[in-house]
Amino acid sequence: MRPLSIPGAWLHTPTVHPDTRGTLHEAYRAEVFSRATGSSFGLAQANVSVSRRGVLRGIHYAEVPPGQAKYVTCLRGAILDVAVDLRTGSPSYGRCEAVRLDAANRRALYLAEGLGHAFLALEEDTTVMYLCSEGYAPEREHGVHPLDPQLAIDWPSDIPLLMSDKDAAAPTLREADRAGTLPSHAACLAYADVSAEKDC
């Protein structure tokens, strides 16, 4: 596990053990995760999506508290996975960081509560699994437009993008901030502290 430039975003690169039968790797181990991040990850829901090449999903986030932390890995194909700091008042507010997750490198991206998440499928039939700390609650789910010029995410220019109507109609970061739907950095830190106390 190594931290990315956005606090609360971590990249897990596993050791893959190959033999004549195939490969084996630890996709997640609670003690390793907790030791590295200083947090615990409670699994409430696991989602699997299959996407055509060019499908762009996100930027999605949930209201904090309780938010929705995610642990994302690519089981087949490849994605450009993006973390976005949407926490108002955060020192890295508006910062984006992209990593490639694919079936060969077996890496995983962890995003703490309050971070936005988006990914672009780079290959046909790309299969992504994301573990979630909270179940899906549509009344608490929000989005920011993934092509917002303010965020300036460097999506590949040679892939035609396919978005859902909902994602294509999402507000810009500035609009979401004005609407008051973005999580605050203070609320995310307070929620993390409360969660840590519950784990003790």
Side-chain angles (χ1 to χ4, degrees):
M1 298 287 293
R2 72 170 177 87
L4 300 183
S5 66
I6 299 171
W10 293 76
L11 184 65
H12 171 60
T13 302
T15 300
V16 179
H17 304 279
D19 63 23
T20 56
R21 300 165 298 170
T23 66
L24 174 71
H25 71 281
E26 289 184 354
Y28 173 80
R29 182 187 280 196
E31 62 193 54
V32 174
F33 176 88
S34 295
R35 186 167 58 245
T37 66
S39 304
S40 63
F41 183 77
L43 175 62
Q45 183 172 321
N47 299 328
V48 176
S49 67
V50 181
S51 301
R52 297 169 49 192
R53 182 175 186 265
V55 167
L56 176 54
R57 299 180 186 267
I59 302 165
H60 300 148
Y61 66 98
E63 293 174 9
V64 180
Q68 188 184 63
K70 295 178 181 176
Y71 190 85
V72 186
T73 190
C74 183
L75 303 177
R76 182 175 62 209
I79 62 172
L80 185 66
D81 207 18
V82 180
V84 184
D85 194 346
L86 302 175
R87 302 167 297 190
T88 58
S90 167
S92 56
Y93 175 70
R95 182 182 300 165
C96 308
E97 186 160 356
V99 295
R100 180 184 170 101
L101 307 182
D102 59 44
N105 66 35
R106 305 293 186 186
R107 299 192 303 184
L109 179 65
Y110 170 70
L111 304 100
E113 295 86 355
L115 297 183
H117 177 242
F119 70 84
L120 173 67
L122 303 175
E123 299 178 9
E124 292 294 335
D125 294 322
T126 288
T127 303
V128 176
M129 181 171 70
Y130 31 110
L131 310 180
C132 303
S133 64
E134 296 288 336
Y136 175 68
E139 70 279 4
R140 293 190 287 103
E141 299 289 328
H142 301 282
V144 168
H145 203 291
L147 305 182
D148 182 353
Q150 182 181 348
L151 297 175
I153 299 171
D154 190 18
W155 303 111
S157 60
D158 61 335
I159 301 178
L161 303 180
L162 302 169
M163 289 187 284
S164 70
D165 291 342
K166 182 178 179 180
D167 288 347
T172 64
L173 181 64
R174 186 170 286 111
E175 290 168 342
D177 190 7
R178 286 179 186 153
T181 60
L182 296 177
S184 76
H185 190 233
C188 292
L189 292 178
Y191 180 72
D193 289 343
V194 169
S195 298
E197 288 176 6
K198 288 180 181 178
D199 291 338
C200 293

